[in-house]
Amino acid sequence: MKNTHRTLTAVGNASGSVLVLGAFIALWWMASTSGWVNRAFLPTPQATLQSLLQGLAGGELGAYTWATLTRMFSGWVLASALGIALGALIGSSGRAREWIAPTLEFIRPLPASAVMPLAIALFGLSGGMVLAVVAFGAMWPVLLATLHGLANVHRQLREVSRSLELSHLDFVLKIGLPNAMPDILAGMRLSMTVSLIVSVVGEMIASQPGLGQAILLAARSFQASELFAGIVLLGAMGFASNVVLALAERSLLRWQRP
Amino acid sequence: MTDSVLHFDRVAIELGGRQILSPVELTVKRGEFVCVIGPSGCGKTTLLRAAAGFVTPSGGSVRRKGAPITGPSREVAFVFQDYGRALLPWRTVQANVSLALEAANVPAAERPARIAHVLRTVGLQAHAQKFPAQLSGGMQQRVQIARCLAQRPDVMLMDEPFGALDAMTRETLQDELARLVREEGLTVMFVTHDLEEALYLGDRVIALRSNPTPELPSLAALIDVPLPQPRDQLSTKEHPEFLRLRRELYHYLGH
Amino acid sequence: MTDSVLHFDRVAIELGGRQILSPVELTVKRGEFVCVIGPSGCGKTTLLRAAAGFVTPSGGSVRRKGAPITGPSREVAFVFQDYGRALLPWRTVQANVSLALEAANVPAAERPARIAHVLRTVGLQAHAQKFPAQLSGGMQQRVQIARCLAQRPDVMLMDEPFGALDAMTRETLQDELARLVREEGLTVMFVTHDLEEALYLGDRVIALRSNPTPELPSLAALIDVPLPQPRDQLSTKEHPEFLRLRRELYHYLGH
Amino acid sequence: MKSLAFPALLIGALEVWARTTGQGSDAIAPPSAALRAFWGAAMDGSLFQATAFTLGTAALGLLIGALGGLLLGTLLGLSRRAARLGFLSVEVARPIPSVALIPLAMLVFGFGLRMELSVVAFACLWPMLVLTQAAVQQVEPRLLEVSRALELTAWQRFAWIIGPAIVPRLFVALRLGVAIALVVAVTVEIAANPHGMGYAMMIAQQSLDPALMLAWLVWIGVVGYLINASALALQHRVARAMGEQVA
Amino acid sequence: QSTTKIVFGYTAVTDFASVFVAAENGYFKKRALDVELKFIPINSTIPAAVQADSLQIGGPTPSVFLQSVDGGLDHVVVAGAGVTSKTITGFGLVARAGSGIRKAQDCVGKKIGVPGLGAFLHVTFRAWLKSQGVDYTKVNFVEAAFPQHGDLLRGGSVDAVVSADPFMSRITDTGVGYVASYYSTFLPENQPTIIHVARRDWVAKNPAAAKSFREAVQEAAAFMNQPKNDAAVRAAIGKYIKLPPEVIAKVQISPPGPVVTEKQLTYWVDLMKDQGMLKTVPDVARLIAK
Ligand SMILES: Nc1ncnc2c1ncn2[C@@H]1O[C@H](COP(=O)(O)OP(=O)(O)OP(=O)(O)O)[C@@H](O)[C@H]1O
Ligand SMILES: Nc1ncnc2c1ncn2[C@@H]1O[C@H](COP(=O)(O)OP(=O)(O)OP(=O)(O)O)[C@@H](O)[C@H]1O
Ligand SMILES: [Mg+2]
Ligand SMILES: [Mg+2]
């Protein structure tokens, strides 16, 4: 009885969510068919769907999607690991803060699009180079969130840890990072998106196979429906990965709203 | 003075530019139970925090076993007044207690038994899997006490530890605490607002005063409680000496 | 029943899949002072939260002035048990109190006087400019009480409001509260662990029980306190009826 | 001093690389040459003009995006129903790379301020939204109950309770947002919009002046660093005004 | 007679020389045109800028133009800039030293960098490969901007690049690579490399201005065709393309082709259709403004 009720509300929520998205798509449809925006740049949803299906049937788009997906995912894993580790290091050690934080703050605002040519010159045109740029570009949300979470441990919890004489490492692992967990998870959600975006930019600039290159070529050859098919795929990818992340988040943050 | 566990050597404390505690001179011996009373905001918590090494006195020093205190130690357990904030919200009751064992590097195999034991002591065995947010105020306070017990400290600094407990739970824990002091030589400093509790538990009771001046220092009174040990909820509280001391303290507190 | 301010109509509450309160039937009249006692974790806070509209009962309903409660109202003030969390840490004491006045759209010109007045009532006039983090536990609790007083509610729901206060401050506030009830027709539900406090303040005392079953429902006892009004810290607490009731309650709580 | 150790090391390495292996490269120049090029750009005023354009656009775009993100994020953070209804749309729109929107923005607005603004605002909206939502969800539940007990209006609840409570986290979002705004603004200028620092960098690249290009790149980093430093300083000031409860 | 304001978008190639000369010599002004020259770093953004009216006239490559038309933009050719010529050795296939690439057949299975996938050099290079009987789908093309070509060859990321001067000569000068083929010399002559396009409705509204623009470019082309004016032409180029003076002095200048014919466009349409770059067949006659 209770279970059916729960399933019903879940279905209700899902369909509501779909309806909202449907409303946005309807808006898109109106904008494109009414000619507010030139069709060459904003294709109709139907045309986009058609390009999408054609591309997927040809197998090409599927391969691109897979390439971008793996790049995004490995970049994201790297970025999260790097962000948490560096964040924990800087957030908990004054010395680390003095030595490396300013350098990081300097690198942070450098656009991937501007750094990439430099990286290509130094390291060549390879998937590894792009991955490094992705990991580097996507780690900031996680890093900042980790820093914030570590800095904002409530005074009393700090004192608990001191009175238990927790080692520095234990404090970071058992109090600092769990305390930062909600922030880190939000950061990781962002990081996932940034990772996808930088992957795409990387594919565009460093000429690696993937959705980024497909989008770039479509944009360049004014194939708006193909461009949007790529964007739709990106949206779907981002959505799918975020659903997984949201589920993980729900179980990890169970304590927040029990 | 080999058995002096805590020694307050003319400890004066300033906070936010205001003199909170004027020089306090006090020695607490091993196995002694000292209760601290005084009006709200007079500096009881501050005194305990100095004993724990959380604040550094602006004057004088606190010594533990003869050595000046430089910072908190695992041998000293602190029960915070603000119990809600002293627990890790992301850990269950049992994992919160476990923290103390992890800190002391107790092997993982030994932990469950020790956790179960202290949870039974505070009457929370049925709630081991809950998160702090799922507990009532009094239950949170007991989790904190359980963690401090699991720590097996030499000294317990307890800041209104039983404040949110009903009379019965409170009496059970009072007796449990008294037993630990007697049997394991635990030394306790205990802040409370309940005069009866102070007299029932304490070997000595110190009364602090707000806004100390050189003429009227922080330490308003230091009262010995010569009631026989072990004490008992019924007979001790009807003891003529108990009633006399209660009246005396009542007056110290401004009545 | 025009003067029924709160009516619990077979209120049952489940939390986390567990039955916390079995059907509670209770009517609180205008100007009445009802004290709630019971062991730690028995559901006292939960009962008050239902009265405030923070939780929706899983069975039955709570009615205020005849209408079912849909959510919190400004006419009902709630003093939370965990005082440390109920204050805005970024506002000073006086700004925290001011919040209630701002919420009620009290003109800015009137606020300082009203703030000063309630701060004097709780004895914090000297600390108006401090932030909560600079206050002792008892002082934080009093700030919260001051905010609720400033709200000028019809009903006060107080969850262990005096738990962190020393005997003297507590007695002052008890008498202040009793005066408000008498003079302004305030209705109060008051959770406490202190039997004497419950008897001293309450017109009625209800005792709750943990883990209710159909045979042993949550409401373990409902005791009228026929002590004369106004009450007095000395004479009331020596009144034979007071002592008799105290003993009676003591037994209800499992002794 | 220590903070300069790593950059100095990097610059030294680059100088050596550019003078040996990398000699004759059209993409990299020795930092010393870059410094000279930088001086030239500073003297003829092009530096400040381009910087002002990029910073102005980035700031305005961030403002627009941040306000939208703040509003939506608060809504989604407070109301579980809104969060569930909006989830799909937000998560589908969020991963759209802003660069993919450049052609569209370009077509609608042409060159200039508005097109860059729209892309920057779009890029800043999502991080602000996600972080605001997370911050709102972490507001002490007791304080939300206080606001309900006082029957605060939605606006009062935001201005008095939620707003101040999320300020520390908003600064994290702001610092991220600043970098994102700058990155996207420069990217838009590189890819399409003929204004600002990115455009200047492109001109340098296409006129075979890697030293000037490197100078611009470093300058962008310096500008970002300074902005971040001032955001931090502001954060500390605000924290102090709020009773130092934030670290 | 009121002057017409025109913002004109160009990229950093010498094919725009006729426009630079027209601006420098006042050919625009005397036809009541107020032309502002705007440097656009990326050629393929020009059609969008024209569509958004940020530019009234812009100079995309024919392939970019035809793809934009294919995508639905209603633009027409107003005039032409440069054209191909067998004498031009300003771009070609540059192979990495030691790669052993000599002829078209050697490119099979190799990684070759082009400055833009689907852009002018890529399309013409594929056309050359095809004319040599090589299946260009077996060649692995990657995109890399001109300034990176040298570094990429040196680092071994690519085997060869399709590059252009001055980058090409810098690569050969340092010995990192050598020119495997000036393949452009095999391409048909007199095909447009850059064309000036505008929105059809703009041309309809400003027929006189469009015509004047073409006439000004024609006058400039005549000026350029006189060898004695070489220095003046190079000075005009140096003014609008910020290249080092020594580069300007050496660079080869494509011959001007101010008038674009249907036949010339058809060449490009065929080329692109052949390479699968167009979805529809454009009506070439409609694409040239009279
Ligand atoms: N960080 C601080 N800055 C300034 N003043 C402070 C600070 N912390 C505490 N105080 C002041 O020190 C005094 C003593 O505080 P303390 O917490 O020791 O009181 P207490 O005796 O424990 O009171 P209670 O019984 O209410 O808990 C109070 O007046 C308080 O305002
Ligand atoms: N969110 C929740 N989820 C599950 N169980 C809960 C939740 N909140 C409270 N409980 C349970 O409800 C019971 C009653 O809690 P409540 O806070 O009402 O107790 P109380 O009588 O106020 O106790 P105390 O005197 O210790 O404050 C407790 O056993 C607690 O574990
Ligand atoms: Mg205290
Ligand atoms: Mg409670």
PDB file of all heavy atoms in Angstrom, chain A residues 154 156-157 159 162-166 174 178 255, chain B residues 49 72-74 80 82 85 89-90 102-103 151:
ATOM      1  N   HIS A 154      32.769  23.255  12.138  1.00  0.00           N
ATOM      2  CA  HIS A 154      32.318  24.014  13.299  1.00  0.00           C
ATOM      3  C   HIS A 154      33.352  23.955  14.408  1.00  0.00           C
ATOM      4  O   HIS A 154      33.985  22.928  14.635  1.00  0.00           O
ATOM      5  CB  HIS A 154      30.985  23.461  13.794  1.00  0.00           C
ATOM      6  CG  HIS A 154      30.308  24.383  14.752  1.00  0.00           C
ATOM      7  ND1 HIS A 154      30.542  24.355  16.091  1.00  0.00           N
ATOM      8  CD2 HIS A 154      29.436  25.385  14.562  1.00  0.00           C
ATOM      9  CE1 HIS A 154      29.838  25.284  16.689  1.00  0.00           C
ATOM     10  NE2 HIS A 154      29.145  25.934  15.769  1.00  0.00           N
ATOM     11  N   GLN A 156      33.244  23.656  17.471  1.00  0.00           N
ATOM     12  CA  GLN A 156      33.127  22.615  18.479  1.00  0.00           C
ATOM     13  C   GLN A 156      33.631  21.257  17.966  1.00  0.00           C
ATOM     14  O   GLN A 156      34.226  20.492  18.712  1.00  0.00           O
ATOM     15  CB  GLN A 156      31.672  22.491  18.912  1.00  0.00           C
ATOM     16  CG  GLN A 156      31.554  21.777  20.231  1.00  0.00           C
ATOM     17  CD  GLN A 156      30.570  22.494  21.129  1.00  0.00           C
ATOM     18  OE1 GLN A 156      30.633  23.716  21.265  1.00  0.00           O
ATOM     19  NE2 GLN A 156      29.667  21.769  21.697  1.00  0.00           N
ATOM     20  N   LEU A 157      33.417  20.999  16.664  1.00  0.00           N
ATOM     21  CA  LEU A 157      33.918  19.735  16.116  1.00  0.00           C
ATOM     22  C   LEU A 157      35.438  19.745  16.073  1.00  0.00           C
ATOM     23  O   LEU A 157      36.091  18.727  16.279  1.00  0.00           O
ATOM     24  CB  LEU A 157      33.350  19.495  14.716  1.00  0.00           C
ATOM     25  CG  LEU A 157      31.889  19.082  14.662  1.00  0.00           C
ATOM     26  CD1 LEU A 157      31.477  18.774  13.246  1.00  0.00           C
ATOM     27  CD2 LEU A 157      31.650  17.882  15.555  1.00  0.00           C
ATOM     28  N   GLU A 159      37.209  21.164  18.226  1.00  0.00           N
ATOM     29  CA  GLU A 159      37.652  20.917  19.600  1.00  0.00           C
ATOM     30  C   GLU A 159      37.484  19.444  19.959  1.00  0.00           C
ATOM     31  O   GLU A 159      38.311  18.880  20.674  1.00  0.00           O
ATOM     32  CB  GLU A 159      36.892  21.827  20.554  1.00  0.00           C
ATOM     33  CG  GLU A 159      37.329  23.276  20.356  1.00  0.00           C
ATOM     34  CD  GLU A 159      36.579  24.261  21.229  1.00  0.00           C
ATOM     35  OE1 GLU A 159      35.555  23.873  21.805  1.00  0.00           O
ATOM     36  OE2 GLU A 159      37.040  25.411  21.312  1.00  0.00           O
ATOM     37  N   ARG A 162      40.438  17.859  18.616  1.00  0.00           N
ATOM     38  CA  ARG A 162      41.640  18.153  19.390  1.00  0.00           C
ATOM     39  C   ARG A 162      41.640  17.366  20.690  1.00  0.00           C
ATOM     40  O   ARG A 162      42.671  16.863  21.138  1.00  0.00           O
ATOM     41  CB  ARG A 162      41.731  19.651  19.685  1.00  0.00           C
ATOM     42  CG  ARG A 162      42.146  20.470  18.472  1.00  0.00           C
ATOM     43  CD  ARG A 162      42.107  21.951  18.788  1.00  0.00           C
ATOM     44  NE  ARG A 162      43.087  22.326  19.796  1.00  0.00           N
ATOM     45  CZ  ARG A 162      43.010  23.445  20.510  1.00  0.00           C
ATOM     46  NH1 ARG A 162      41.988  24.274  20.353  1.00  0.00           N
ATOM     47  NH2 ARG A 162      43.930  23.737  21.390  1.00  0.00           N
ATOM     48  N   SER A 163      40.466  17.279  21.304  1.00  0.00           N
ATOM     49  CA  SER A 163      40.465  16.629  22.605  1.00  0.00           C
ATOM     50  C   SER A 163      40.655  15.119  22.444  1.00  0.00           C
ATOM     51  O   SER A 163      41.087  14.451  23.367  1.00  0.00           O
ATOM     52  CB  SER A 163      39.199  16.967  23.385  1.00  0.00           C
ATOM     53  OG  SER A 163      38.210  16.020  23.144  1.00  0.00           O
ATOM     54  N   LEU A 164      40.356  14.597  21.254  1.00  0.00           N
ATOM     55  CA  LEU A 164      40.642  13.181  21.019  1.00  0.00           C
ATOM     56  C   LEU A 164      42.056  13.010  20.472  1.00  0.00           C
ATOM     57  O   LEU A 164      42.472  11.901  20.160  1.00  0.00           O
ATOM     58  CB  LEU A 164      39.635  12.595  20.028  1.00  0.00           C
ATOM     59  CG  LEU A 164      38.214  12.420  20.561  1.00  0.00           C
ATOM     60  CD1 LEU A 164      37.277  12.017  19.445  1.00  0.00           C
ATOM     61  CD2 LEU A 164      38.187  11.377  21.658  1.00  0.00           C
ATOM     62  N   GLU A 165      42.766  14.122  20.348  1.00  0.00           N
ATOM     63  CA  GLU A 165      44.111  14.108  19.761  1.00  0.00           C
ATOM     64  C   GLU A 165      44.133  13.359  18.440  1.00  0.00           C
ATOM     65  O   GLU A 165      45.006  12.517  18.212  1.00  0.00           O
ATOM     66  CB  GLU A 165      45.115  13.473  20.730  1.00  0.00           C
ATOM     67  CG  GLU A 165      45.405  14.360  21.912  1.00  0.00           C
ATOM     68  CD  GLU A 165      46.566  13.802  22.729  1.00  0.00           C
ATOM     69  OE1 GLU A 165      47.717  14.132  22.384  1.00  0.00           O
ATOM     70  OE2 GLU A 165      46.313  13.057  23.682  1.00  0.00           O
ATOM     71  N   LEU A 166      43.164  13.621  17.591  1.00  0.00           N
ATOM     72  CA  LEU A 166      43.188  13.019  16.268  1.00  0.00           C
ATOM     73  C   LEU A 166      44.410  13.537  15.530  1.00  0.00           C
ATOM     74  O   LEU A 166      44.764  14.711  15.646  1.00  0.00           O
ATOM     75  CB  LEU A 166      41.926  13.407  15.493  1.00  0.00           C
ATOM     76  CG  LEU A 166      40.620  12.729  15.893  1.00  0.00           C
ATOM     77  CD1 LEU A 166      39.506  13.158  14.959  1.00  0.00           C
ATOM     78  CD2 LEU A 166      40.762  11.223  15.865  1.00  0.00           C
ATOM     79  N   LYS A 174      38.427  12.148   8.771  1.00  0.00           N
ATOM     80  CA  LYS A 174      37.237  11.772   9.531  1.00  0.00           C
ATOM     81  C   LYS A 174      36.315  12.946   9.830  1.00  0.00           C
ATOM     82  O   LYS A 174      35.134  12.742  10.092  1.00  0.00           O
ATOM     83  CB  LYS A 174      37.653  11.089  10.835  1.00  0.00           C
ATOM     84  CG  LYS A 174      38.276   9.747  10.525  1.00  0.00           C
ATOM     85  CD  LYS A 174      38.644   8.965  11.731  1.00  0.00           C
ATOM     86  CE  LYS A 174      39.145   7.595  11.270  1.00  0.00           C
ATOM     87  NZ  LYS A 174      39.856   6.890  12.308  1.00  0.00           N
ATOM     88  N   PRO A 178      34.398  14.621   5.517  1.00  0.00           N
ATOM     89  CA  PRO A 178      32.949  14.380   5.638  1.00  0.00           C
ATOM     90  C   PRO A 178      32.167  15.681   5.816  1.00  0.00           C
ATOM     91  O   PRO A 178      31.082  15.839   5.264  1.00  0.00           O
ATOM     92  CB  PRO A 178      32.838  13.493   6.881  1.00  0.00           C
ATOM     93  CG  PRO A 178      34.154  12.859   7.023  1.00  0.00           C
ATOM     94  CD  PRO A 178      35.159  13.831   6.486  1.00  0.00           C
ATOM     95  N   TRP A 255      22.361  11.453   6.061  1.00  0.00           N
ATOM     96  CA  TRP A 255      22.308  12.039   7.400  1.00  0.00           C
ATOM     97  C   TRP A 255      21.750  13.454   7.414  1.00  0.00           C
ATOM     98  O   TRP A 255      21.286  13.928   8.438  1.00  0.00           O
ATOM     99  CB  TRP A 255      23.692  12.030   8.026  1.00  0.00           C
ATOM    100  CG  TRP A 255      24.731  12.677   7.166  1.00  0.00           C
ATOM    101  CD1 TRP A 255      25.494  12.087   6.210  1.00  0.00           C
ATOM    102  CD2 TRP A 255      25.099  14.052   7.177  1.00  0.00           C
ATOM    103  NE1 TRP A 255      26.314  12.992   5.619  1.00  0.00           N
ATOM    104  CE2 TRP A 255      26.103  14.203   6.192  1.00  0.00           C
ATOM    105  CE3 TRP A 255      24.698  15.165   7.915  1.00  0.00           C
ATOM    106  CZ2 TRP A 255      26.691  15.427   5.931  1.00  0.00           C
ATOM    107  CZ3 TRP A 255      25.297  16.381   7.650  1.00  0.00           C
ATOM    108  CH2 TRP A 255      26.277  16.508   6.666  1.00  0.00           C
TER     109      TRP A 255
ATOM    110  N   ARG B  49      37.204  24.968  29.858  1.00  0.00           N
ATOM    111  CA  ARG B  49      37.940  25.024  28.591  1.00  0.00           C
ATOM    112  C   ARG B  49      39.424  25.286  28.835  1.00  0.00           C
ATOM    113  O   ARG B  49      40.280  24.790  28.094  1.00  0.00           O
ATOM    114  CB  ARG B  49      37.350  26.096  27.672  1.00  0.00           C
ATOM    115  CG  ARG B  49      35.988  25.681  27.079  1.00  0.00           C
ATOM    116  CD  ARG B  49      35.291  26.838  26.388  1.00  0.00           C
ATOM    117  NE  ARG B  49      36.080  27.376  25.286  1.00  0.00           N
ATOM    118  CZ  ARG B  49      36.128  26.823  24.079  1.00  0.00           C
ATOM    119  NH1 ARG B  49      35.420  25.751  23.834  1.00  0.00           N
ATOM    120  NH2 ARG B  49      36.867  27.333  23.136  1.00  0.00           N
ATOM    121  N   PRO B  72      44.924  20.213  24.157  1.00  0.00           N
ATOM    122  CA  PRO B  72      44.068  19.116  24.600  1.00  0.00           C
ATOM    123  C   PRO B  72      44.814  17.784  24.547  1.00  0.00           C
ATOM    124  O   PRO B  72      45.754  17.618  23.773  1.00  0.00           O
ATOM    125  CB  PRO B  72      42.925  19.132  23.592  1.00  0.00           C
ATOM    126  CG  PRO B  72      42.989  20.432  22.913  1.00  0.00           C
ATOM    127  CD  PRO B  72      44.420  20.860  22.953  1.00  0.00           C
ATOM    128  N   SER B  73      44.373  16.876  25.372  1.00  0.00           N
ATOM    129  CA  SER B  73      44.977  15.553  25.396  1.00  0.00           C
ATOM    130  C   SER B  73      43.868  14.512  25.397  1.00  0.00           C
ATOM    131  O   SER B  73      42.766  14.752  25.874  1.00  0.00           O
ATOM    132  CB  SER B  73      45.832  15.391  26.641  1.00  0.00           C
ATOM    133  OG  SER B  73      45.859  14.043  27.039  1.00  0.00           O
ATOM    134  N   ARG B  74      44.181  13.332  24.867  1.00  0.00           N
ATOM    135  CA  ARG B  74      43.191  12.282  24.799  1.00  0.00           C
ATOM    136  C   ARG B  74      42.853  11.737  26.182  1.00  0.00           C
ATOM    137  O   ARG B  74      41.841  11.079  26.358  1.00  0.00           O
ATOM    138  CB  ARG B  74      43.716  11.175  23.903  1.00  0.00           C
ATOM    139  CG  ARG B  74      42.645  10.464  23.130  1.00  0.00           C
ATOM    140  CD  ARG B  74      43.252   9.354  22.315  1.00  0.00           C
ATOM    141  NE  ARG B  74      44.289   9.870  21.432  1.00  0.00           N
ATOM    142  CZ  ARG B  74      45.333   9.158  21.022  1.00  0.00           C
ATOM    143  NH1 ARG B  74      45.478   7.927  21.389  1.00  0.00           N
ATOM    144  NH2 ARG B  74      46.234   9.688  20.225  1.00  0.00           N
ATOM    145  N   PHE B  80      30.733  18.526  26.017  1.00  0.00           N
ATOM    146  CA  PHE B  80      30.363  19.902  25.703  1.00  0.00           C
ATOM    147  C   PHE B  80      28.922  20.194  26.097  1.00  0.00           C
ATOM    148  O   PHE B  80      28.040  19.335  25.995  1.00  0.00           O
ATOM    149  CB  PHE B  80      30.525  20.170  24.201  1.00  0.00           C
ATOM    150  CG  PHE B  80      31.941  20.164  23.740  1.00  0.00           C
ATOM    151  CD1 PHE B  80      32.532  19.007  23.237  1.00  0.00           C
ATOM    152  CD2 PHE B  80      32.716  21.312  23.808  1.00  0.00           C
ATOM    153  CE1 PHE B  80      33.842  18.995  22.810  1.00  0.00           C
ATOM    154  CE2 PHE B  80      34.031  21.317  23.376  1.00  0.00           C
ATOM    155  CZ  PHE B  80      34.600  20.153  22.882  1.00  0.00           C
ATOM    156  N   ASP B  82      26.991  22.260  24.486  1.00  0.00           N
ATOM    157  CA  ASP B  82      26.203  22.353  23.262  1.00  0.00           C
ATOM    158  C   ASP B  82      26.260  21.002  22.552  1.00  0.00           C
ATOM    159  O   ASP B  82      26.920  20.840  21.540  1.00  0.00           O
ATOM    160  CB  ASP B  82      26.828  23.458  22.400  1.00  0.00           C
ATOM    161  CG  ASP B  82      25.976  23.806  21.217  1.00  0.00           C
ATOM    162  OD1 ASP B  82      24.918  23.176  21.050  1.00  0.00           O
ATOM    163  OD2 ASP B  82      26.384  24.698  20.468  1.00  0.00           O
ATOM    164  N   ARG B  85      26.114  20.151  18.679  1.00  0.00           N
ATOM    165  CA  ARG B  85      27.192  20.497  17.756  1.00  0.00           C
ATOM    166  C   ARG B  85      28.448  19.676  17.999  1.00  0.00           C
ATOM    167  O   ARG B  85      29.426  19.841  17.287  1.00  0.00           O
ATOM    168  CB  ARG B  85      27.536  21.985  17.931  1.00  0.00           C
ATOM    169  CG  ARG B  85      26.448  22.884  17.425  1.00  0.00           C
ATOM    170  CD  ARG B  85      27.013  23.804  16.369  1.00  0.00           C
ATOM    171  NE  ARG B  85      25.988  24.323  15.492  1.00  0.00           N
ATOM    172  CZ  ARG B  85      25.431  25.524  15.624  1.00  0.00           C
ATOM    173  NH1 ARG B  85      25.782  26.307  16.618  1.00  0.00           N
ATOM    174  NH2 ARG B  85      24.543  25.920  14.761  1.00  0.00           N
ATOM    175  N   PRO B  89      27.486  14.837  12.448  1.00  0.00           N
ATOM    176  CA  PRO B  89      26.129  14.564  11.961  1.00  0.00           C
ATOM    177  C   PRO B  89      26.084  13.467  10.902  1.00  0.00           C
ATOM    178  O   PRO B  89      25.033  12.890  10.665  1.00  0.00           O
ATOM    179  CB  PRO B  89      25.666  15.904  11.375  1.00  0.00           C
ATOM    180  CG  PRO B  89      26.877  16.739  11.256  1.00  0.00           C
ATOM    181  CD  PRO B  89      27.902  16.210  12.186  1.00  0.00           C
ATOM    182  N   TRP B  90      27.238  13.189  10.276  1.00  0.00           N
ATOM    183  CA  TRP B  90      27.217  12.191   9.204  1.00  0.00           C
ATOM    184  C   TRP B  90      27.540  10.792   9.716  1.00  0.00           C
ATOM    185  O   TRP B  90      27.635   9.860   8.946  1.00  0.00           O
ATOM    186  CB  TRP B  90      28.205  12.582   8.114  1.00  0.00           C
ATOM    187  CG  TRP B  90      29.575  12.831   8.640  1.00  0.00           C
ATOM    188  CD1 TRP B  90      30.546  11.908   8.867  1.00  0.00           C
ATOM    189  CD2 TRP B  90      30.112  14.090   9.028  1.00  0.00           C
ATOM    190  NE1 TRP B  90      31.654  12.518   9.370  1.00  0.00           N
ATOM    191  CE2 TRP B  90      31.434  13.857   9.476  1.00  0.00           C
ATOM    192  CE3 TRP B  90      29.612  15.405   9.036  1.00  0.00           C
ATOM    193  CZ2 TRP B  90      32.243  14.888   9.939  1.00  0.00           C
ATOM    194  CZ3 TRP B  90      30.434  16.415   9.493  1.00  0.00           C
ATOM    195  CH2 TRP B  90      31.731  16.147   9.936  1.00  0.00           C
ATOM    196  N   GLU B 102      38.761   4.948  17.432  1.00  0.00           N
ATOM    197  CA  GLU B 102      39.654   5.089  16.284  1.00  0.00           C
ATOM    198  C   GLU B 102      40.804   6.026  16.623  1.00  0.00           C
ATOM    199  O   GLU B 102      41.950   5.782  16.264  1.00  0.00           O
ATOM    200  CB  GLU B 102      38.881   5.628  15.075  1.00  0.00           C
ATOM    201  CG  GLU B 102      37.829   4.654  14.560  1.00  0.00           C
ATOM    202  CD  GLU B 102      36.841   5.337  13.635  1.00  0.00           C
ATOM    203  OE1 GLU B 102      37.192   6.343  12.991  1.00  0.00           O
ATOM    204  OE2 GLU B 102      35.687   4.860  13.566  1.00  0.00           O
ATOM    205  N   ALA B 103      40.466   7.105  17.330  1.00  0.00           N
ATOM    206  CA  ALA B 103      41.499   8.069  17.688  1.00  0.00           C
ATOM    207  C   ALA B 103      42.567   7.402  18.543  1.00  0.00           C
ATOM    208  O   ALA B 103      43.751   7.726  18.451  1.00  0.00           O
ATOM    209  CB  ALA B 103      40.886   9.252  18.429  1.00  0.00           C
ATOM    210  N   GLN B 151      36.368   6.735  25.531  1.00  0.00           N
ATOM    211  CA  GLN B 151      37.731   7.265  25.459  1.00  0.00           C
ATOM    212  C   GLN B 151      38.584   6.770  26.626  1.00  0.00           C
ATOM    213  O   GLN B 151      39.810   6.838  26.573  1.00  0.00           O
ATOM    214  CB  GLN B 151      37.574   8.799  25.497  1.00  0.00           C
ATOM    215  CG  GLN B 151      38.637   9.604  24.885  1.00  0.00           C
ATOM    216  CD  GLN B 151      38.241  11.088  24.922  1.00  0.00           C
ATOM    217  OE1 GLN B 151      37.069  11.451  24.837  1.00  0.00           O
ATOM    218  NE2 GLN B 151      39.236  11.941  25.079  1.00  0.00           N
TER     219      GLN B 151
END
